[in-house]
């Protein structure tokens, strides 16, 4: 748009930025959008919200209720309703994508919407076929749909301000999160190298660091004649035996949970102690 250079009252009214609606560039665009919203856009939005609420309730009930709580007929009905509504919403998303795919894929929330609808369709179809959808599929779809439901509140000023704050904070701290990720990644590798078990029956073998129970005599001394009871180790005994659990353990250190290191003594593992001290220095 070419903006006239003359400073007439008319141009001042048309092209001056509207301060109360900072996301509109010009008064005329803001007026058109406000008019459409107040006349029919609001009703259209509330209808979409109503249909989504029905879809969300049906899918949540079908995914959460136990198998013996209601009959299979009602389970099928709930999942069929979920598939119908999710397919309708997905068709709208596909239309938006075909209209201008560059703009569509530049917005992260559009991919979020597609994932929510697509996973719910897949999960519902799985149940209708063999009544045993993957649990992780169901869990992720419920989380995505829950966040999608929350996003409907962003049109209200009292709620929208918090969405703006969260998104603004996320954009501001994103570079810091990238740096923090590489710090966590580096320390996860370091702890993995130092604390993993490289051979059977070494110091870091889960059987050697698992909790042990000794029998105590009446005088308080340990009875060496009776076999020591050892708690069966599992994959959580030494989280640093696998790199991805090592990454999780270091992430837990950020939250103040040092339980993954509780089975190792600081005096006998000086390298681990140095890593822990430097990690807290850079992250706390």
């Amino acid at each position: 748009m070419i903006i006239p250079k003359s400073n007439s009252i008319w141009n001042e009214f048309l092209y001056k930025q509207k301060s109360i609606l900072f996301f509109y560039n010009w008064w005329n665009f803001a007026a058109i959008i406000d008019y459409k919203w107040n006349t029919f856009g609001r009703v259209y939005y509330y209808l979409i919200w109503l249909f989504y609420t029905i879809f969300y309730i049906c899918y949540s009930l079908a995914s959460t209720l136990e198998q013996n709580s209601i009959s299979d007929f009602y389970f099928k009905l709930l999942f069929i309703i979920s598939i119908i509504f999710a397919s309708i919403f997905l068709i709208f998303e596909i239309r938006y994508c075909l209209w201008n795919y560059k703009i569509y894929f530049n917005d992260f929330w559009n991919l979020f919407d597609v994932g929510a609808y697509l996973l719910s369709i897949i999960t519902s179809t799985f149940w209708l076929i063999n009544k045993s959808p993957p649990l992780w599929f169901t869990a992720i779809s419920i989380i995505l749909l829950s966040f999608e439901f929350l996003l409907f509140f962003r049109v209200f000023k009292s709620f929208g301000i918090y969405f703006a704050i969260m998104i603004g904070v996320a954009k501001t701290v994103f570079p810091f999160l990238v740096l923090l990720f590489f710090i966590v990644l580096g320390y996860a590798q370091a702890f993995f190298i130092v604390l993993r078990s490289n051979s059977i029956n070494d110091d870091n073998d889960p059987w050697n660091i698992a909790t042990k129970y000794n029998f105590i005599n009446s005088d308080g001394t340990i009875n060496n004649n009776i076999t020591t009871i050892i708690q069966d180790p599992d994959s959580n005994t030494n989280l640093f035996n696998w790199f991805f659990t090592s990454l999780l353990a270091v992430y837990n250190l950020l939250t103040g949970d040092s339980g993954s290191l509780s089975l190792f003594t600081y005096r006998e593992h000086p390298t681990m102690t140095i890593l822990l001290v430097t990690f807290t220095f850079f992250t706390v």
Side-chain angles (χ1 to χ4, degrees):
M1 177 184 292
I2 300 176
I3 302 175
K5 295 182 179 180
S6 58
N7 294 324
S8 64
I9 298 176
W10 178 251
N11 291 332
E12 185 76 11
F13 173 77
L14 283 179
Y15 301 110
K16 183 178 180 180
Q17 291 189 355
K18 193 173 182 181
S19 59
I20 60 173
L21 297 173
F22 58 91
F23 44 85
Y24 299 144
N25 289 328
W26 311 110
W27 270 94
N28 47 356
F29 294 151
I32 293 173
I33 294 175
D34 289 344
Y35 173 77
K36 289 184 176 181
W37 171 256
N38 292 325
T39 52
F40 62 87
R42 181 181 302 175
V43 177
Y44 180 73
Y45 185 84
Y46 289 155
L47 283 175
I48 294 176
W49 194 357
L50 175 63
F51 292 143
Y52 184 86
T53 303
I54 297 173
F55 158 59
Y56 178 65
I57 292 175
C58 290
Y59 184 76
S60 298
L61 289 175
S63 303
T64 308
L65 292 176
E66 297 181 358
Q67 293 289 340
N68 56 357
S69 58
I70 58 176
S71 63
D72 286 348
F73 170 78
Y74 292 108
F75 267 113
K76 291 180 180 179
L77 181 62
L78 290 173
F79 277 119
I80 290 173
I81 294 174
S82 301
I83 291 176
I84 293 174
F85 277 107
S87 300
I88 293 173
F89 286 119
L90 186 61
I91 289 172
F92 278 104
E93 294 297 326
I94 294 174
R95 287 184 59 196
Y96 298 151
C97 179
L98 294 177
W99 176 68
N100 194 324
Y101 69 92
K102 292 182 179 180
I103 296 177
Y104 186 86
F105 287 110
N106 282 335
D107 189 352
F108 168 77
W109 297 110
N110 291 330
L111 302 179
F112 189 89
D113 296 340
V114 172
Y117 303 139
L118 194 59
L119 284 179
S120 59
I121 293 174
I122 294 174
T123 304
S124 301
T125 306
F126 260 109
W127 194 95
L128 293 175
I129 294 174
N130 55 19
K131 296 184 180 180
S132 59
L135 296 180
W136 66 273
F137 243 66
T138 307
I140 295 176
S141 62
I142 285 292
I143 292 175
L144 292 178
L145 291 176
S146 299
F147 278 110
E148 181 72 15
F149 183 79
L150 288 177
L151 290 176
F152 279 97
F153 288 93
R154 67 184 183 271
V155 298
F156 301 106
K157 186 176 181 180
S158 55
F159 293 97
I161 187 172
Y162 294 105
F163 284 98
I165 291 173
M166 289 187 292
I167 295 174
V169 170
K171 290 181 179 179
T172 303
V173 303
F174 180 74
F176 169 75
L177 294 178
V178 173
L179 294 177
L180 185 62
F181 169 76
F182 283 105
I183 292 174
V184 171
L185 181 65
Y187 274 92
Q189 290 177 310
F191 278 112
F192 173 69
I193 293 171
V194 172
L195 299 178
R196 67 177 173 179
S197 177
N198 294 309
S199 60
I200 299 176
N201 203 31
D202 63 359
D203 292 338
N204 296 330
D205 191 302
W207 281 100
N208 290 330
I209 63 175
T211 304
K212 299 178 177 62
Y213 300 92
N214 296 309
F215 288 91
I216 306 298
N217 297 321
S218 57
D219 58 356
T221 59
I222 297 176
N223 190 337
N224 295 321
N225 297 324
I226 302 178
T227 305
T228 301
I229 298 176
I230 301 177
Q231 181 178 349
D232 288 340
D234 54 24
S235 58
N236 289 334
T237 302
N238 185 0
L239 291 175
F240 302 99
N241 251 351
W242 192 40
F243 175 73
F244 293 102
T245 53
S246 176
L247 193 64
L248 176 62
V250 175
Y251 173 78
N252 288 337
L253 290 177
L254 285 175
T255 65
D257 181 9
S258 60
S260 57
L261 300 175
S262 61
L263 297 176
F264 303 95
T265 57
Y266 295 109
R267 179 180 295 180
E268 296 176 357
H269 297 81
T271 305
M272 180 197 74
T273 306
I274 295 173
L275 288 174
L276 178 61
V277 171
T278 55
F279 177 75
T280 54
F281 176 79
F282 286 114
T283 58
V284 176

